[in-house]
Amino acid sequence: VVGQAVAGPFLDLLSERVECVVLGVPPAPTSVPRILRSIRTALADVVWSLLYWLGAQIPLLLLSLIPVLGSVSAAVLSFAFTSLLLAVEFVGLSLTRYFVGYRQRFGALWGNRAVGLGLGVATMAMLLIPGVNLLLLPVAAVAGTLLYVDLRGAGQLSGLVPELPQATTQPDAVN
């Protein structure tokens, strides 16, 4: 969590660059109102993320009190839900630029649980490696951005993000 908080601005820049290259769109212009709106969105994200996590973990804690089957079920469900929240965080790097709220991001990933869990479980596995986890945050940011691009291209994010203008040429290759 600390590593992600410290790396957050860098991960956002990396995500934006990947999005620009893959989609062939220019970066969003920086302005004071946009920065203030981003700060408000980020603060709301912290609150909603905590509420979602607690909302799932408290019942799972109670389930874990049931001997054997309950504790195993709670551990598996907790891992799966935390993985989905990780996917929401990393796909959220792109969605936050369009001021898509946490609940809408969660809903979009919930509607695409299979790919969301795929990203989340892979990210969770990478982040469990002590020390290496900080180096892998950029990989997770790029993966989340690429999943966002795929979901957007498949029309799974209609209504959440603006439509892309039709490109007349192919985007430049990454330097």
Side-chain angles (χ1 to χ4, degrees):
V1 173
V2 172
Q4 194 171 352
V6 170
F10 304 106
L11 297 177
D12 188 50
L13 288 172
L14 174 62
S15 172
E16 184 174 30
R17 177 70 178 133
V18 169
E19 186 179 335
C20 290
V21 168
V22 173
L23 294 177
V25 296
T30 303
S31 66
V32 172
R34 185 170 180 80
I35 291 170
L36 293 175
R37 191 169 178 192
S38 293
I39 291 170
R40 186 184 75 203
T41 302
L43 292 174
D45 285 355
V46 170
V47 171
W48 281 110
S49 179
L50 183 60
L51 288 175
Y52 273 69
W53 187 80
L54 285 173
Q57 296 302 323
I58 291 171
L60 290 175
L61 175 66
L62 296 174
L63 178 63
S64 71
L65 298 176
I66 300 171
V68 185
L69 184 60
S71 58
V72 171
S73 299
V76 169
L77 290 171
S78 179
F79 184 86
F81 189 76
T82 303
S83 295
L84 186 61
L85 288 183
L86 272 174
V88 171
E89 291 296 321
F90 286 106
V91 171
L93 290 170
S94 293
L95 290 171
T96 301
R97 277 192 290 286
Y98 299 100
F99 305 111
V100 176
Y102 193 87
R103 289 178 291 175
Q104 290 81 17
R105 290 195 312 262
F106 185 85
L109 264 289
W110 184 256
N112 295 282
R113 283 184 295 282
V115 293
L117 281 172
L119 172 65
V121 168
T123 302
M124 180 81 100
M126 290 187 315
L127 294 176
L128 289 174
I129 304 169
V132 177
N133 55 1
L134 295 177
L135 301 174
L136 295 174
L137 284 175
V139 173
V142 170
T145 303
L146 292 175
L147 178 56
Y148 156 78
V149 168
D150 287 347
L151 289 173
R152 185 175 187 161
Q156 298 296 314
L157 301 176
S158 299
L160 291 179
V161 294
E163 294 296 320
L164 290 173
Q166 295 297 325
T168 56
T169 61
Q170 294 292 330
D172 294 334
V174 178
N175 294 330

